[in-house]
Amino acid sequence: MACAELSVTGAPLGDLPLHGSFLDAVAKAVADLAAETSDGGPAILVGAPWRDGDRVHDAVLLLDGGKVAEMRFAQHPSPPFDAGAPAGPIAVRGVPLGVLIGAELDDADAAETLRETGAEILLAPCASPWLAGMPDLRLNLAVARVTETGLPLAWLNLLGGQEEALFDGGAFVLNGDCSLAVQAEAFAPGLFAARFRRGPGGWACATGSLAPPPEGEAALYRVLLLALADRLAKGGCSAVALCGGEQPGAALLAALAADLLGPDGLRDGPGPGVLGLATCDKTGLALGHAGTDGDFAPLRDLWAGELRRLGRWRNRQSSAGTTEPAVPEAALTEPGSDPDPVLAALLDNGRAAYGQDAEAYETALLAAEGCRRRVPPGPRLSRTAFGRDRRYPVVAELPGRPAG
């Protein structure tokens, strides 16, 4: 019987400059953690930016026996990292693990090479941001690698926030026959054990906890709670204040704050340790109706219609006997004219939108870029979020843009 307790952590660094003092601090933290393995306890696999001569890599390091015992560098890294050379499996207490770092999980050749060089279990430490439908996409990708290699695969993911990206955890283990052996709870910190036994057909993981990931409004509400909790923790804040008056998102943000912080977590105005929440939504950003006050905009990538559906879902979760809904019904009233379908067609589908007000909406969309750039940052929850990846010129001669 073999029990592997593997802790894999990491975060995308984006445009962070990997200067010497930062890398020195990482190396010291890794050395301190490695020292904790000198007592014969579990080995640890940890992700870290790692300097190798004049190159910096996205690395996975094996800490065992009080030192960095082995390391592997990502072959397909994102900037600012340098690419590593192909390498074989890492031997962890005599068990050869094939480590697929980040985008290597997308590469069938990388997994096959690890199998051919002796890997007996595949391990995929990732920083995969949450988007709707992502859990199924991850599972399908893992199934493809298992089907090709015949090896069991443990998939691990970051939990928390990093700038506009949110990571939902939700680790899982597939056996060599593609059966799901373990599924950790999404959006929740904690440890889980994957217990492998080696038999005539190779390694197999015993069935453990199976927690299906939440879907629909349940997943969306959890990811918003995660976004708010992460921002509060990293900013050293203990309460929130709403900035933006009676915009539709204000009632939903008040419910989120109450669920996360309790009734005393919502303040009337700014102050020490108070995070200002912008109440704007994607509909307001598209049309230029969004307020620019506040420090953080949790709802900026959700359409106003999505907020109403989410509010109704939250009200259905209220405890029996509750007299007042968490989100007042007045905030959930459908508008007489809903711009969301036309705006979504313009943004999400990459094609011209048709409808009675399509031209006016497109003109407003083009003219609102200056407003959007003044709105506080917030989490990215869709593939077409406004921000670095989707911007319009603030001033340009474009069809439909009003003069001035």
Side-chain angles (χ1 to χ4, degrees):
M1 185 75 158
C3 177
E5 297 183 11
L6 304 175
S7 174
V8 182
T9 62
L13 297 178
D15 299 324
L16 179 68
L18 298 180
H19 48 73
S21 59
F22 174 78
L23 294 171
D24 290 342
V26 169
K28 183 181 184 305
V30 168
D32 292 343
L33 183 58
E36 298 293 325
T37 66
S38 62
D39 60 359
I44 301 174
L45 284 171
V46 59
W50 199 252
R51 181 166 47 196
D52 182 38
D54 60 351
R55 298 169 68 83
V56 179
H57 297 281
D58 181 7
V60 167
L61 313 171
L62 172 63
L63 312 183
D64 198 11
K67 63 182 181 180
V68 178
E70 283 199 64
M71 59 185 67
R72 293 293 183 270
F73 302 145
Q75 299 175 47
H76 310 300
S78 300
F81 294 111
D82 297 301
I90 297 177
V92 181
R93 307 285 174 89
V95 179
L97 297 182
V99 181
L100 296 165
I101 306 174
E104 290 172 22
L105 187 61
D106 299 323
D107 186 352
D109 291 338
E112 184 62 24
T113 298
L114 288 169
R115 185 192 68 81
E116 292 174 349
T117 52
E120 297 178 4
I121 299 172
L122 297 177
L123 180 68
C126 299
S128 173
W130 183 90
L131 292 172
M134 186 60 73
D136 288 339
L137 294 176
R138 296 167 182 159
L139 187 60
N140 291 339
L141 190 58
V143 166
R145 300 292 85 85
V146 171
T147 300
E148 293 155 1
T149 63
L151 299 177
L153 183 148
W155 186 92
L156 303 101
N157 193 35
L158 184 66
L159 176 67
Q162 178 71 25
E163 295 296 328
E164 64 181 15
L166 291 170
F167 305 91
D168 52 315
F172 61 83
V173 178
L174 294 179
N175 275 319
D177 60 359
C178 292
S179 61
L180 184 64
V182 176
Q183 173 73 69
E185 183 180 357
F187 302 107
L191 299 175
F192 75 97
R195 300 181 180 273
F196 286 83
R197 182 186 296 273
R198 190 174 189 176
W203 292 95
C205 181
T207 301
S209 173
L210 295 172
E215 300 177 342
E217 280 79 17
L220 192 53
Y221 202 80
R222 291 287 295 273
V223 82
L224 289 174
L225 286 172
L226 175 66
L228 184 55
D230 184 85
R231 179 62 177 82
L232 287 166
K234 290 180 177 176
C237 302
S238 57
V240 301
L242 302 183
C243 306
E246 298 300 322
Q247 294 193 44
L252 184 61
L253 284 177
L256 281 161
D259 288 343
L260 185 64
L261 300 170
D264 297 329
L266 184 61
R267 304 293 171 81
D268 293 332
V274 177
L275 177 68
L277 298 182
T279 59
C280 57
D281 55 51
K282 195 171 185 176
T283 304
L285 288 177
L287 297 176
H289 300 160
T292 58
D293 294 334
D295 307 302
F296 186 57
L299 310 178
R300 60 171 291 159
D301 196 24
L302 293 175
W303 298 108
E306 290 180 293
L307 301 189
R308 292 190 291 271
R309 290 191 293 273
L310 195 57
R312 295 187 192 102
W313 175 89
R314 175 60 186 85
N315 286 348
R316 293 195 297 271
Q317 314 311 308
S318 299
S319 302
T322 302
T323 57
E324 296 293 333
V327 181
E329 293 298 329
L332 307 177
T333 303
E334 295 289 341
S337 177
D338 185 4
D340 290 355
V342 177
L343 293 170
L346 286 166
L347 291 174
D348 297 349
N349 299 334
R351 59 176 175 79
Y354 298 94
Q356 182 177 0
D357 300 320
E359 184 175 348
Y361 286 145
E362 188 169 16
T363 299
L365 178 66
L366 294 171
E369 182 64 23
C371 172
R372 285 192 287 269
R373 296 198 191 186
R374 295 191 297 271
V375 170
R380 178 174 183 166
L381 305 174
S382 75
R383 291 174 175 80
T384 56
F386 291 117
R388 289 180 299 177
D389 298 329
R390 178 177 287 273
R391 285 190 170 184
Y392 295 89
V394 175
V395 177
E397 292 185 8
L398 296 174
R401 179 181 291 279

